[in-house]
Amino acid sequence: MEVKDRTSSPEEGHRNPSEMKMWQSFVAGAGAGLINVSITYPLQKLMFRQMVHGVMPRMAFAQLKKEGVRILYRGVLPPLLQKGISMSIMFGGYESYGRFFISNFDINPQLAKSAGAGLSGISEAILTPFERVQVLLQDQKYNSKLTNTRHAVTHIWKNYGITEFYRGASLIVVRNSVSSIFFFFAKEKAQSALPKPKHMWNKLATDFICGGFIGAALSTFYYPLTVIKTRMQCRLGGQFESPKRVFETVLVERGRNIRELFRGVHLNYTRQLLSWGIINAAHGLLIMLLDKTNKTS
């Protein structure tokens, strides 16, 4: 099966709006997020145990094995919802914001696309509550206190209020906005440099490799930021500590060794390589299917 080159960018969308409707990118992003979480959630939970408790992979695996399959997917609903919606915002927002800037302002197209990517990342921060609840449900110290997603949301709302859902939001804004800009920029450069795929399987493989390596590299770069964010969100109630203070606390606990902030990074790199490969390939595939369906309807 041959495929046409449908490299997505706001600039191309502005030149030829019929090539890809914006709603397709929103829907494809949501589908890619759901597919990704369903496959990679166990790895995410294993990495979480290393990140928060500083344990070795074997010990983290032993904890999960002892807890059983029922507990393994405990807390999967928040990331399913969060990732589905966030990927919809990321890909769809990138298209929408980029086209808006190009259509309404006389600015460099590359600058418009960068602004669109940054704003799409910032927009994702509204989903912080999903990430917040996921962190609490993955932490073993809350296994008996918070039974499921619904119970966790109700408990937080009644006892701490809405602000508790947004603990760690400042770091999420920074992480999402910067990583979105670099992801779309690197993706565009990679797609321009690589030969255009002529068949569907070639395109899927190219999308998987590009998305996987770009996502893994970015997640490794801001891994310490994720460690601090996760540590902030593991606390339920009490004073909201600044990222700087939490960073200093974690650093002291780990012997003031910066390398210790990267504990679990190898597993994280592997998971992100798989995760972003799946997301990018699934998004490209779903765009093709939606476009084909739209043309035949």
Side-chain angles (χ1 to χ4, degrees):
M1 177 181 177
E2 293 189 353
V3 298
K4 295 180 179 180
D5 175 37
R6 298 194 180 280
T7 302
S8 172
S9 77
E11 183 182 8
E12 291 176 353
H14 180 60
R15 289 200 306 263
N16 185 10
S18 63
E19 183 178 353
M20 185 179 72
K21 298 181 183 297
M22 282 189 290
W23 68 265
Q24 292 179 341
S25 201
F26 279 104
V27 173
L34 294 174
I35 292 170
N36 164 61
V37 172
S38 299
I39 296 173
T40 63
Y41 187 74
L43 280 176
Q44 161 66 21
K45 200 161 188 177
L46 187 64
M47 184 195 73
F48 173 88
R49 294 292 173 87
Q50 288 187 262
M51 183 185 295
V52 175
H53 303 295
V55 298
M56 300 301 291
R58 182 178 296 180
M59 185 177 295
F61 179 78
Q63 289 178 357
L64 296 179
K65 183 178 180 181
K66 183 178 180 181
E67 292 170 6
V69 177
R70 185 178 65 85
I71 297 294
L72 180 63
Y73 273 88
R74 181 177 185 268
V76 73
L77 183 59
L80 272 177
L81 295 174
Q82 187 266 341
K83 203 66 175 181
I85 300 173
S86 70
M87 289 299 97
S88 179
I89 293 174
M90 177 180 170
F91 286 100
Y94 172 64
E95 291 288 336
S96 302
Y97 287 129
R99 294 186 191 189
F100 172 79
F101 284 120
I102 291 174
S103 299
N104 295 279
F105 300 96
D106 184 21
I107 60 176
N108 182 281
Q110 190 61 56
L111 179 60
K113 288 185 283 185
S114 296
L119 284 174
S120 71
I122 292 173
S123 298
E124 289 181 66
I126 64 173
L127 303 173
T128 298
F130 288 110
E131 201 164 332
R132 170 78 166 119
V133 173
Q134 177 191 353
V135 166
L136 293 174
L137 289 175
Q138 285 182 327
D139 195 339
Q140 62 179 350
K141 67 183 179 184
Y142 295 111
N143 278 353
S144 59
K145 188 174 183 179
L146 303 174
T147 57
N148 52 43
T149 301
R150 182 179 178 181
H151 180 237
V153 171
T154 303
H155 179 79
I156 295 171
W157 180 269
K158 287 184 176 179
N159 294 281
Y160 305 102
I162 191 171
T163 56
E164 188 66 30
F165 287 103
Y166 287 89
R167 192 181 286 266
S170 59
L171 292 184
I172 291 175
V173 168
V174 174
R175 180 197 65 186
N176 288 0
S177 58
V178 175
S179 63
S180 290
I181 293 172
F182 280 102
F183 177 83
F184 285 112
F185 176 79
K187 177 184 175 181
E188 181 180 325
K189 293 300 180 183
Q191 288 176 326
S192 299
L194 294 172
K196 303 300 181 185
K198 296 182 178 180
H199 301 279
M200 182 183 69
W201 293 112
N202 296 129
K203 175 172 171 51
L204 287 176
T206 300
D207 286 346
F208 182 90
I209 293 171
C210 287
F213 280 103
I214 293 169
L218 288 173
S219 68
T220 300
F221 177 76
Y222 59 71
Y223 187 78
L225 189 75
T226 302
V227 171
I228 303 306
K229 185 275 303 179
T230 304
R231 183 61 175 268
M232 292 172 70
Q233 292 186 324
C234 277
R235 182 171 181 174
L236 186 57
Q239 181 182 358
F240 275 57
E241 295 180 308
S242 68
K244 180 181 178 181
R245 183 173 179 179
V246 176
F247 168 74
E248 292 172 347
T249 300
V250 174
L251 195 60
V252 169
E253 290 178 354
R254 303 193 181 186
R256 296 190 178 277
N257 187 345
I258 294 295
R259 293 184 60 182
E260 288 297 309
L261 292 178
F262 286 88
R263 177 166 288 187
V265 72
H266 297 96
L267 181 58
N268 175 71
Y269 184 89
T270 303
R271 187 185 73 86
Q272 294 292 353
L273 182 69
L274 176 63
S275 176
W276 281 103
I278 292 172
I279 288 171
N280 204 41
H283 180 265
L285 177 62
L286 291 171
I287 284 291
M288 285 194 297
L289 294 176
L290 289 169
D291 188 53
K292 184 178 180 180
T293 302
N294 185 57
K295 287 183 176 179
T296 57
S297 60

